[in-house]
Amino acid sequence: MTAARGTSARPASSPSELDRSADIATLGRVFDLDVMRERILAAAITNVADHGFGAFTVREVAAVAGIKAPGLYSHFPSKEAILTEAVSRVLGDFLDNSTHVDGVDPEADLRETVRQHVLYQMHNMHIARVADLVLYTASAGQFLSTEDYDRLLSLQQAHLNLVRDRVTAFAPDVSETKVTVASMAIIAMCDRVANWFPADGARDPEELADLHWQLVRAMLVGLGPNHS
């Protein structure tokens, strides 16, 4: 999940591209949907995933959450505050999911890092699309304060550092520059799964996760000193 403030915006996925019921259900892994404040955050994620940051409105979020628009402000001071907390929670959940490895064997750790990333994208596509919008479009920076946006990007940087450390452990003979580029390539490849994987398709998620690992491993082996 790598990007920089001011990069070119990509269009949001249209509602027709979303498996809405399944995607909204996965928001329960991040938000307690029995609590109004949490429902507002989940509704914000749904709104952004369907329409992008440019179409984010307090009125629509309130309607999805089941509250009148003025009542929303008893929970949050502004729509920027809603966006910041909602997206922070989504990115935090993704990052937490990426850290669960044994920490014993570098190859096994990197393999699980890649697999967990890919599987997360496929099983939580609504969430993944919003994380993608934050990290790959300039529009997020237009609707958040500089401080809040930079805090979200710091979560992104933490994930890049984690992947880079695990790539280094697996391929200690690869130069630091190549490790950084390879790490960004790995993250970008895994992120993109959320944009093309059909939730109702015939492809098996486990097999696709393993295929991504095979591609990553081949790339890193090819970057070794004997293949320069």
Side-chain angles (χ1 to χ4, degrees):
M1 293 160 45
T2 56
R5 181 186 289 275
T7 54
S8 298
R10 294 200 331 237
S13 300
S14 67
S16 63
E17 294 173 331
L18 301 175
D19 181 351
R20 190 177 182 86
S21 61
D23 280 333
I24 292 176
T26 65
L27 293 171
R29 67 172 284 131
V30 181
F31 307 106
D32 183 350
L33 300 180
D34 292 327
V35 177
M36 176 53 70
R37 191 174 192 279
E38 298 281 294
R39 288 210 303 272
I40 293 170
L41 295 172
I45 293 298
T46 298
N47 184 255
V48 172
D50 283 352
H51 306 298
F53 285 97
F56 183 91
T57 67
V58 168
R59 185 178 299 277
E60 183 167 344
V61 169
V64 173
I67 188 175
K68 293 184 178 179
L72 186 146
Y73 290 104
S74 66
H75 297 276
F76 295 94
S78 66
K79 74 175 186 179
E80 290 79 14
I82 299 171
L83 281 171
T84 299
E85 182 168 346
V87 176
S88 292
R89 294 272 291 277
V90 163
L91 295 181
D93 180 69
F94 170 81
L95 189 59
D96 287 344
N97 183 76
S98 300
T99 62
H100 298 161
V101 297
D102 292 334
V104 176
D105 176 57
E107 180 168 347
D109 289 348
L110 183 58
R111 175 180 180 272
E112 280 309 297
T113 300
V114 171
R115 281 177 42 78
Q116 287 171 10
H117 190 159
V118 172
L119 290 171
Y120 189 96
Q121 300 298 96
M122 288 188 281
H123 293 318
N124 304 282
M125 297 182 75
H126 215 58
I127 295 174
R129 285 188 179 98
V130 173
D132 187 51
L133 281 171
V134 173
L135 299 175
Y136 288 99
T137 69
S139 59
Q142 297 170 7
F143 292 94
L144 301 174
S145 69
T146 298
E147 179 181 359
D148 287 338
Y149 188 62
D150 287 345
R151 183 161 61 85
L152 295 179
L153 291 185
S154 73
L155 291 173
Q156 168 204 15
Q157 185 63 45
H159 182 239
L160 173 59
N161 291 342
L162 179 147
V163 173
R164 190 161 48 199
D165 289 345
R166 291 178 182 172
V167 169
T168 299
F170 171 71
D173 294 329
V174 174
S175 71
E176 183 177 348
T177 298
K178 289 182 178 180
V179 163
T180 298
V181 173
S183 298
M184 291 189 290
I186 291 167
I187 292 169
M189 178 175 68
C190 295
D191 277 346
R192 291 292 295 177
V193 174
N195 291 300
W196 61 259
F197 177 73
D200 58 351
R203 296 185 178 94
D204 179 78
E206 292 288 338
E207 291 178 0
L208 283 175
D210 283 336
L211 176 58
H212 277 72
W213 162 241
Q214 293 168 26
L215 294 171
V216 168
R217 191 182 190 286
M219 173 178 66
L220 293 176
V221 169
L223 289 176
N226 294 327
H227 298 81
S228 59

